[in-house]
Amino acid sequence: MPIQIKTAEEIAKMRVAGRLAAEVLDFIAPHVKAGVTTGHLDKLCHDYMVGVQGTIPAPLDYTPPGHRPYPKSICTSVNHQVCHGIPGDKVLKPGDIVNIDITVIKDGFHGDTSRMFLVGEPSIQARRLCEVTWECLWKGIAQVRPGARLGDIGHAIQVHAEGHGYSVVREFCGHGIGRRFHEEPQVLHYGKPGQGVALEAGMIFTVEPMINAGRRDIRALGDGWTIVTADHSLSAQWEHTVLVTPSGFEVLTVSAGAPSMPAFVTASGAATAATP
Ligand code: MF3
Ligand code: CO
Ligand code: CO
């Protein structure tokens, strides 16, 4: 499948789906604290999506080729878990860092976003990893405009992460998104400037860097989904769904509770005014 250029009508629906996904993170934020299980967070999010928003949790029963159906409605990846952590009996404890990844379907279109949450007061090193990974997300997004290449996004992320002594996970990437959860193109979080597909207005894809405090190598757990760092070092991830606009980009996964973009992006002037 070639990379789709979304129509104005499709973009309008993607804005709605993106905002709703971000609003699930706003909703769950006050519940992410010591003593709660990841399974409870999943239930709260599931009920909010289905009962309050009228959205479909895209992960539930999602079965990409070679995988068993994903059993829950959200992903919760704690500490050395990189991504796709399955909610369950795990009790959050003070000092944990947790990625919560939400994908909703509304009116046939997907919105996909994740944030890091701090439980209690994690170590300085853990907080720094979360902060630098958030900066990596925005370093990538700041590259987005017509004519830029996918390699520009990956390169900006890789330089920032490695400049802090961290490593970039290679096996998972951002992705086109729309009527399907994962579409073309693949958005690598490493690469060379000027290489790869040229961006065009109307493309919509995610940027979702996974950054490890230690080595980049990963392992899959026996549950068939959870990915962990091979060296058990901490890992962090942030994700937004992004539209290429004629003058730059628009982040679609915006909500009142999403951290606003950093000054180094505001200064670039590429952001189209978002409508939270
Ligand atoms: N939300 C993830 C992403 O950003 C995908 C999760 S697939 C699941 O692409 F099945 F694990 F939910
Ligand atoms: Co995604
Ligand atoms: Co996601």
Side-chain angles (χ1 to χ4, degrees):
M1 278 280 262
I3 302 172
Q4 286 179 18
I5 304 300
K6 266 71 174 179
T7 66
E9 291 73 24
E10 290 169 330
I11 290 168
K13 290 180 178 180
M14 288 296 288
R15 271 196 196 99
V16 173
R19 179 176 48 77
L20 287 164
E23 285 176 354
V24 178
L25 291 172
D26 292 0
F27 160 76
I28 203 62
H31 300 278
V32 186
K33 47 189 186 199
V36 76
T37 66
T38 53
H40 184 62
L41 298 176
D42 175 75
K43 181 178 169 28
L44 290 173
C45 288
H46 176 95
D47 292 350
Y48 185 76
M49 290 186 258
V50 173
V52 177
Q53 292 186 323
T55 56
I56 298 167
L60 188 59
D61 288 326
Y62 182 58
T63 315
H67 280 76
R68 60 189 87 162
Y70 188 79
K72 296 289 179 180
S73 296
I74 69 173
C75 298
T76 52
S77 304
V78 182
N79 294 337
H80 69 291
Q81 296 180 343
V82 173
C83 62
H84 304 166
I86 301 176
D89 295 337
K90 186 192 282 282
V91 178
L92 297 182
K93 60 181 193 310
D96 284 346
I97 60 171
V98 190
N99 175 274
I100 300 183
D101 193 339
I102 300 292
T103 311
V104 303
I105 308 170
K106 182 69 168 183
D107 207 5
F109 288 85
H110 291 73
D112 188 6
T113 185
S114 79
R115 297 179 198 154
M116 295 303 296
F117 295 87
L118 309 181
V119 182
E121 201 170 313
S123 68
I124 288 171
Q125 292 90 330
R127 282 182 278 154
R128 187 74 182 130
L129 174 67
C130 295
E131 184 179 23
V132 171
T133 303
W134 178 76
E135 292 168 357
C136 286
L137 167 72
W138 282 103
K139 289 281 178 184
I141 293 173
Q143 298 298 317
V144 176
R145 59 179 169 73
R149 305 293 197 91
L150 282 178
D152 299 338
I153 298 174
H155 182 72
I157 292 168
Q158 183 178 11
V159 165
H160 195 64
E162 294 180 353
H164 285 84
Y166 300 145
S167 62
V168 178
V169 172
R170 306 282 177 113
E171 291 83 354
F172 297 91
C173 55
H175 49 93
I177 182 168
R179 283 194 179 278
R180 284 171 298 132
F181 196 160
H182 294 101
E183 307 183 345
E184 296 297 312
Q186 294 194 10
V187 181
L188 304 182
H189 302 118
Y190 61 93
K192 295 198 168 61
Q195 294 198 354
V197 168
L199 305 184
E200 295 175 37
M203 291 179 178
I204 298 180
F205 51 79
T206 71
V207 181
E208 48 180 298
M210 280 143 274
I211 305 298
N212 297 349
R215 299 178 58 85
R216 68 177 175 84
D217 309 73
I218 57 165
R219 301 263 183 276
L221 296 189
D223 63 17
W225 279 101
T226 308
I227 304 298
V228 300
T229 55
D231 62 7
H232 277 215
S233 63
L234 291 176
S235 187
Q237 180 180 29
W238 292 77
E239 176 176 23
H240 271 311
T241 299
V242 180
L243 165 72
V244 186
T245 65
S247 60
F249 66 85
E250 178 183 335
V251 173
L252 301 183
T253 35
V254 286
S255 65
S260 48
M261 65 182 91
F264 67 76
V265 182
T266 325
S268 78
T272 306
T275 44

